[in-house]
Amino acid sequence: MEPAARIVVRRPGGGYRDRWRSYGIEVDGVRAGTVAGGEQVELPVAPGRHSVRAVIDWSGSPVVQVEVAAGATARLTVQPAGSAASALTQLWGRDSWLVLREE
């Protein structure tokens, strides 16, 4: 059996947008966990390439591809894509509400 790998998604605290709401984290199209402001979530995965996306309601982030070796950890950060003032311009896009990036 191959050693497990991990994907860790961190969400910085602070800010006003989505302050009281958690973001869902999808790995390979399946909901794998949630992350609240100022927290992180650790998701065990099989070694290899994975598609990761953060979601909230009907929107979220673009998909990020990560490669995780056996026993290794891929680290990502998720946050709102802009300020509370810019929210109306991002409201209707499927992947425009959040920014997910590899650290």
Side-chain angles (χ1 to χ4, degrees):
M1 182 173 168
E2 287 187 68
R6 292 185 311 162
I7 295 174
V8 174
V9 181
R10 181 178 66 86
R11 180 177 167 193
Y16 292 100
R17 194 159 128 185
D18 303 328
R19 170 178 248 166
W20 308 112
R21 303 181 68 207
S22 293
Y23 298 154
I25 305 299
E26 295 178 348
V27 177
D28 301 327
V30 176
R31 177 70 67 102
T34 60
V35 63
E39 297 182 358
Q40 71 178 25
V41 61
E42 296 184 18
L43 307 168
V45 295
R49 189 165 184 80
H50 297 280
S51 301
V52 184
R53 181 171 184 258
V55 296
I56 185 169
D57 297 329
W58 61 88
S59 192
S61 72
V63 172
V64 172
Q65 300 291 327
V66 295
E67 184 76 32
V68 192
T73 301
R75 297 185 181 280
L76 297 99
T77 301
V78 63
Q79 59 192 32
S83 67
S86 66
L88 287 178
T89 62
Q90 299 165 324
L91 191 58
W92 304 110
R94 182 178 188 278
D95 59 3
S96 61
W97 193 260
L98 303 174
V99 174
L100 178 67
R101 63 174 59 100
E102 209 165 349
E103 291 183 354

